[in-house]
């Protein structure tokens, strides 16, 4: 049950990503700058998440956070690159192609991360089936432009 709940949660997150790009594009048009749109998007997200943390009372101590490796602090920067890129490109390529390119890039990177067991994750086999999955999404990306 937990497995399918996780799949559903990620699918819901994927729907949010598809919605986020055109919404942030509207912010970019209004502000005249996709970087400003990304900053607004992250600012709103920060307020929402900070409110949830405050309500839950789950603020960690800085001593617990201080021992993290440097790369553990980079997730927000990576997200910022995505939000900027999506706000900038969605008007040029459309939502379907944007999401296809997003998933293709994610799968290529995921295949590499699984193969080397990056960031403390378990190593996973790069099987022909998994490679075929990436190739099929790449084909879908190409088809989205026809």
């Amino acid at each position: 049950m937990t497995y399918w709940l996780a799949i559903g949660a990620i699918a819901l997150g994927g729907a949010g990503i598809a919605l986020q790009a055109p919404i942030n594009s509207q912010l970019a048009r209004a502000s005249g700058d996709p970087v400003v749109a990304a900053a607004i998007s992250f600012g709103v997200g920060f307020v929402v998440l900070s409110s949830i943390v405050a309500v839950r009372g789950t603020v960690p101590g800085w001593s617990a956070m201080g021992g993290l490796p440097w790369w553990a602090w980079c997730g927000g920067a990576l997200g910022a690159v995505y939000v900027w890129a999506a706000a900038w490109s969605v008007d040029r390529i459309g939502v379907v192609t944007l999401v296809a390119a997003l998933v293709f890039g994610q799968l290529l990177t995921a295949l590499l991360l699984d193969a080397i067991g990056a960031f403390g994750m378990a190593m996973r086999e790069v099987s022909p089936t998994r490679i075929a999955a990436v190739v099929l999404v790449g084909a879908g990306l190409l088809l989205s432009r026809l």
Side-chain angles (χ1 to χ4, degrees):
M1 180 64 169
T2 303
Y3 178 83
W4 291 109
L5 205 54
I7 296 292
I10 292 300
L12 186 61
I17 286 173
L19 290 165
Q20 184 183 38
I23 289 169
N24 286 340
S25 177
Q26 184 71 15
L27 279 173
R29 281 192 298 275
S31 69
D33 187 346
V35 174
V36 171
I40 292 168
S41 180
F42 269 82
V44 171
F46 177 79
V47 169
V48 169
L49 291 172
S50 295
S51 298
I52 293 169
V53 167
V55 167
R56 291 175 57 200
T58 54
V59 179
W62 283 110
S63 61
M65 303 298 287
L68 289 171
W70 68 268
W71 48 261
W73 297 95
C74 296
L78 297 171
V81 170
Y82 161 72
V83 171
W84 162 79
W88 177 79
S89 66
V90 71
D91 284 341
R92 292 162 175 79
I93 64 175
V95 179
V96 168
T97 301
L98 179 141
V99 173
L102 170 72
V103 172
F104 184 67
Q106 287 174 322
L107 285 175
L108 278 176
T109 304
L111 208 57
L112 173 66
L113 296 176
D114 275 352
I116 64 173
F119 306 111
M121 302 292 292
M123 288 179 65
R124 300 202 191 299
E125 178 187 8
V126 178
S127 66
T129 305
R130 296 178 90 205
I131 292 169
V134 176
V135 169
L136 288 171
V137 171
L141 172 57
L142 294 174
L143 288 172
S144 77
R145 297 308 303 159
L146 296 178

